[in-house]
């Protein structure tokens, strides 16, 4: 039988993004392999089909979960261009990440840093097909993006419930570590922790921590539970000498509304208050003292929600809809749970008295944070 050849030419370099965080850790994202061509067959890359019955000892939860979810995990290749000495646009290589088919219409979830600024990408399906995909939306704040392909009879991943996860339960990562040469790689571990924050600038989501191996190229791939349901989108790993087993995924419950918004609008429209302010910690850095926990209003955007509610410079926002906003993290989390056009009740301190105002949230200009 003739074998189908599978080839990949990848770009110079090792990591597309490396974001510094506390203690010198680095978050590794999209993989760039050296310029060389890999040759192999689809049959060699695929898992061999088992013959005969499999014993219960071999047919574990990990095996069943991988069989269920793997067909919906794809490779996503972005082309990298440069200019030659004659200022001509030339292809210098390809960056490779992963994605998850989550809709029969051909919608694929992945990371924003996987697709970058590309308008089109190459999607490599688990069955060996490759097709061009269109990036229909991206959201840098949550590091999520949606790609659309036009292929019939696609396998679709089933989403689970990331809010119901328990620390210690099995976690299986599926993706393309180090490029398409290792497409469909499965690694297993456990849910190590929930609600982790890496400290990357602008990050607003709490992440799932796992010790299942997540390597460059796994970004955008699936983290699934023992039932084969996707409970996270693999996003980052911490790489430091002597440190192993620190991988992170975006919880699928948090990702769902973002993915829906990207399909509908191509972006996420977020509400904002229209203020520049300081919390207690930030104020202390500038030699200021705020006597109560809250957000000191330094400047109000003209015509913005706070301006229209007559909240002004010098006021201190104490709570929104009854939730105490002691710092900007809490403030942003509250706003992320609201909708544009929604009315919220804000309690604030003016002088020595507490006052309350009803504020109608507006769309954040340019998707900037409030």
């Amino acid at each position: 039988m003739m074998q189908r050849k599978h080839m990949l030419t990848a770009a110079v370099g090792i990591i597309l993004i490396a974001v510094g965080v506390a203690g010198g850790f680095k978050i590794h994202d999209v993989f760039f392999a050296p310029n060389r061509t890999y040759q192999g067959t689809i049959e060699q890359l695929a898992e061999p089909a088992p013959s005969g019955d499999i014993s219960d000892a071999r047919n574990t939860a990990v095996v069943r979960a991988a069989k269920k979810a793997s067909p919906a995990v794809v490779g996503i290749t972005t082309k990298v261009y440069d200019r030659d000495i004659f200022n001509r646009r030339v292809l210098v290589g390809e960056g490779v990440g992963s994605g998850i088919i989550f809709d029969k219409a051909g919608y694929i979830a992945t990371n924003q840093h996987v697709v970058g600024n590309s308008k089109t990408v190459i999607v490599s399906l688990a069955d060996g097909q490759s097709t061009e995909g269109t990036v229909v939306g991206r959201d840098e704040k949550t590091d999520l993006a949606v790609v659309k392909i036009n292929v019939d009879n696609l396998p679709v991943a089933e989403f689970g419930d990331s809010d119901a996860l328990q620390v210690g339960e099995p976690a299986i990562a599926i993706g393309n570590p180090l490029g398409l040469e290792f497409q469909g790689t499965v690694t297993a571990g456990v849910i190590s922790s929930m609600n982790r924050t890496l400290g990357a600038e602008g990050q607003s989501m709490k992440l799932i921590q796992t010790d299942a191996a997540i390597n460059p190229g796994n970004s955008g791939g699936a983290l699934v539970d023992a039932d084969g349901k996707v409970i996270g989108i693999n996003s980052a790993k911490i790489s430091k000498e002597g440190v192993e087993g620190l991988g992170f995924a975006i919880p699928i419950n948090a990702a769902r509304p973002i993915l829906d918004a990207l399909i509908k609008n191509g972006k996420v429209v977020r509400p904002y208050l229209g203020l520049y302010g300081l919390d207690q910690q930030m104020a202390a850095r500038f030699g200021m003292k705020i006597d109560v926990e809250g957000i000191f209003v330094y400047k109000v955007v003209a015509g913005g929600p706070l301006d229209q509610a007559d909240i002004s410079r010098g006021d201190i926002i104490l709570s929104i809809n009854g939730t105490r906003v002691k710092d900007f993290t809490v403030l942003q989390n509250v706003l992320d749970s609201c909708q544009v056009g929604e009315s919220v009740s804000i309690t604030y301190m003016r002088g020595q008295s507490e006052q309350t105002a009803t504020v109608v949230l507006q769309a954040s200009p340019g998707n900037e944070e409030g």
Side-chain angles (χ1 to χ4, degrees):
M1 183 180 76
M2 293 184 64
Q3 294 180 321
R4 294 170 290 168
K5 291 293 181 182
H6 182 78
M7 304 177 67
L8 168 68
T9 302
V12 175
I14 300 238
I15 302 297
L16 177 62
I17 299 175
V19 181
V21 295
F25 289 171
K26 290 185 178 180
I27 305 169
H28 287 233
D29 295 315
V30 183
F31 175 73
F32 272 67
N35 263 331
R36 64 181 184 270
T37 299
Y38 299 107
Q39 292 189 354
T41 66
I42 295 298
E43 288 75 13
Q44 289 169 340
L45 296 175
E47 287 292 327
S51 57
D53 295 331
I54 302 177
S55 68
D56 291 340
R58 293 176 57 206
N59 193 28
T60 64
V62 173
V63 171
R64 295 191 300 272
K67 286 180 180 179
K68 179 178 179 179
S70 289
V73 178
V74 302
I76 295 180
T77 305
T78 55
K79 296 184 180 299
V80 182
Y81 293 93
D82 202 350
R83 295 284 178 177
D84 64 14
I85 59 174
F86 301 106
N87 200 34
R88 293 176 302 191
R89 188 167 178 258
V90 293
L91 178 67
V92 296
E94 298 172 339
V96 181
S98 305
I100 308 163
I101 304 171
F102 67 96
D103 190 287
K104 277 286 187 183
Y107 290 110
I108 298 169
T110 187
N111 288 140
Q112 186 273 337
H113 73 253
V114 169
V115 300
N117 295 320
S118 301
K119 295 181 180 179
T120 60
V121 296
I122 301 300
V123 177
S124 301
L125 303 180
D127 65 1
Q129 295 184 72
S130 290
T131 185
E132 185 174 274
T134 302
V135 180
V136 299
R138 68 195 88 211
D139 183 50
E140 186 173 357
K141 182 178 179 181
T142 57
D143 193 24
L144 290 170
V146 173
V147 173
K148 173 77 162 57
I149 59 175
N150 296 313
V151 176
D152 295 329
N153 301 317
L154 288 169
V156 175
E158 181 180 357
F159 284 173
D161 182 3
S162 56
D163 291 338
L165 290 175
Q166 303 176 85
V167 172
E169 72 171 278
I172 301 103
I174 307 172
N176 312 307
L178 308 184
L180 295 181
E181 182 185 18
F182 301 106
Q183 184 172 2
T185 291
V186 175
T187 58
V190 298
I191 300 295
S192 302
S193 185
M194 301 294 297
N195 300 319
R196 290 300 199 200
T197 301
L198 296 186
E201 183 178 356
Q203 179 191 328
S204 63
M205 281 190 176
K206 301 293 186 179
L207 303 177
I208 300 169
Q209 179 185 333
T210 179
D211 65 347
I214 296 175
N215 292 292
N218 270 119
S219 291
L223 187 70
V224 305
D225 61 17
D227 294 324
K229 296 180 181 180
V230 176
I231 42 87
I233 298 174
N234 298 327
S235 184
K237 69 170 291 188
I238 288 180
S239 178
K240 182 180 180 182
E241 186 176 353
V243 175
E244 295 291 342
L246 288 176
F248 300 88
I250 300 169
I252 203 63
N253 287 13
R256 282 181 180 183
I258 305 297
L259 299 175
D260 290 341
L262 293 178
I263 292 173
K264 183 178 179 180
N265 303 314
K267 62 181 180 179
V268 180
V269 181
R270 293 185 171 88
Y272 90 134
L273 291 174
L275 83 138
Y276 297 87
L278 302 168
D279 57 31
Q280 281 186 320
Q281 186 176 11
M282 296 167 65
R285 297 174 187 170
F286 293 97
M288 297 174 58
K289 183 179 179 181
I290 301 176
D291 293 329
V292 296
E293 281 190 340
I295 306 298
F296 175 83
V297 179
Y298 179 77
K299 179 182 177 182
V300 171
V301 177
L306 292 188
D307 186 34
Q308 295 188 16
D310 199 30
I311 295 177
S312 58
R313 176 186 169 93
D315 294 339
I316 301 174
I317 297 175
L318 303 176
S319 65
I320 302 177
N321 285 346
T323 300
R324 191 80 178 189
V325 287
K326 63 179 181 178
D327 55 35
F328 268 101
T329 300
V330 177
L331 173 67
Q332 194 60 57
N333 287 340
V334 172
L335 291 179
D336 286 345
S337 68
C338 299
Q339 302 294 322
V340 173
E342 182 178 342
S343 295
V344 297
S345 176
I346 293 184
T347 301
Y348 62 98
M349 181 77 72
R350 175 170 289 176
Q352 299 300 314
S353 64
E354 285 191 13
Q355 301 188 31
T356 302
T358 298
V359 177
V360 180
L361 299 176
Q362 298 176 10
S364 174
N367 273 356
E368 295 174 355
E369 296 182 26

